[in-house]
Amino acid sequence: MTDHVHDLRSVREATDRLLTAVAKLDNAALAEESHLPGWTRGHILAHLARNADALVNVFEGRPMYESAAARDADIERDAGRPLEEHLTDLRDSAARFMATTEPDQDWSRTVELRNGITDLAANVPFRRWVEADLHHVDLNVGYELSDLPDEFTEREIVFLADRWSGRPEVPPVALVATDGRSWRTGSAGDPAVTVSGTPAGLLAWLAGRGDKGASLTTSGGPLPGLPPL
């Protein structure tokens, strides 16, 4: 089983990095565009705070979000707040999430996430780590995919490669990192396409971030397109 204790420690560290970076911004910077189309930095911060509360709901057996419309409305409502309100909300919501993980509980139980997706409770801390660190990159404040912890990058590549496995619209693909690690994704069958690059470059393609595969090299065919996350 996933080591949720280790992952919770990583969530704390990622949250601290995020808060330190955000505290250096100002109100004007929050209204500027992030790396996510259509979202300002304020949108990302609002999403991160509401995601923490949504994961509290998951642990406590409630729907993650009231509805997709309510989720989007909450983000729009909070996106334009001043910096200090964002910082307070980020700290307080992160503390609520961590507090929910402290009582003794069955970490092997199945919990329900958004859109009917289920997972083990032990995997939820890693999902929060992904939110904190990947959206830190999305803020466009100098924290890049290449700055992510190596463990995070490898685990997220494994997670996303598995997510796209068995998808008929994605051809069989072999992923080869410059450090020798390799994975596979896409539909069943022997990979016809090999995609090579740095771990950060592979993650960018799998997650639809950064250069979205522009730094990668392919053999056996063009770089396949991936569905949106």
Side-chain angles (χ1 to χ4, degrees):
M1 182 182 293
T2 301
D3 185 352
H4 64 275
V5 175
H6 166 80
D7 287 350
L8 287 169
R9 183 165 57 249
S10 297
V11 170
R12 292 188 187 94
E13 293 168 354
T15 302
D16 287 344
R17 283 193 295 273
L18 175 71
L19 288 168
T20 298
V22 173
K24 297 176 182 178
L25 303 177
D26 56 25
N27 292 334
L30 294 186
E32 294 173 353
E33 292 184 358
S34 71
H35 283 315
L36 294 182
W39 270 18
T40 66
R41 294 187 178 109
H43 282 90
I44 290 178
L45 299 184
H47 164 64
L48 281 167
R50 300 291 68 77
N51 172 263
D53 286 337
L55 293 178
V56 170
N57 290 337
V58 168
F59 275 120
E60 296 183 349
R62 297 185 296 273
M64 186 169 178
Y65 294 101
E66 179 183 334
S67 67
R71 170 188 176 273
D72 294 345
D74 286 346
I75 293 170
E76 287 295 335
R77 178 197 66 206
D78 296 341
R81 297 176 301 181
L83 175 63
E84 286 306 315
E85 289 186 24
H86 275 295
L87 284 170
T88 298
D89 195 15
L90 284 168
R91 293 190 192 99
D92 291 350
S93 59
R96 288 191 292 270
F97 170 76
M98 297 304 297
T100 308
T101 69
E102 292 171 357
D104 290 336
Q105 56 190 288
D106 179 10
W107 287 93
S108 67
R109 74 188 188 278
T110 298
V111 295
E112 184 170 345
L113 299 162
R114 192 181 173 204
N115 298 326
I117 294 173
T118 59
D119 203 350
L120 297 180
N123 292 333
V124 173
F126 179 67
R127 287 178 176 271
R128 178 58 186 176
W129 183 10
V130 171
E131 293 288 328
D133 246 348
L134 201 54
H135 282 317
H136 187 167
V137 174
D138 291 335
L139 281 174
N140 188 20
V141 292
Y143 188 64
E144 306 295 341
L145 289 169
S146 57
D147 296 320
L148 292 166
D150 289 342
E151 179 199 354
F152 174 94
T153 298
E154 179 169 8
R155 288 177 64 183
E156 185 64 354
I157 288 174
V158 170
F159 176 82
L160 291 172
D162 181 68
R163 178 167 183 161
W164 304 131
S165 292
R167 299 285 290 267
E169 69 270 38
V170 182
V173 177
L175 305 170
V176 180
T178 49
D179 60 11
R181 289 177 289 177
S182 62
W183 307 268
R184 64 159 299 160
T185 192
S187 51
D190 294 333
V193 178
T194 298
V195 178
S196 306
T198 65
L202 293 171
L203 177 57
W205 175 62
L206 289 166
R209 256 65 173 199
D211 61 17
K212 300 181 181 180
S215 64
L216 303 175
T217 60
T218 63
S219 61
L223 184 69
L226 294 175
L229 284 173

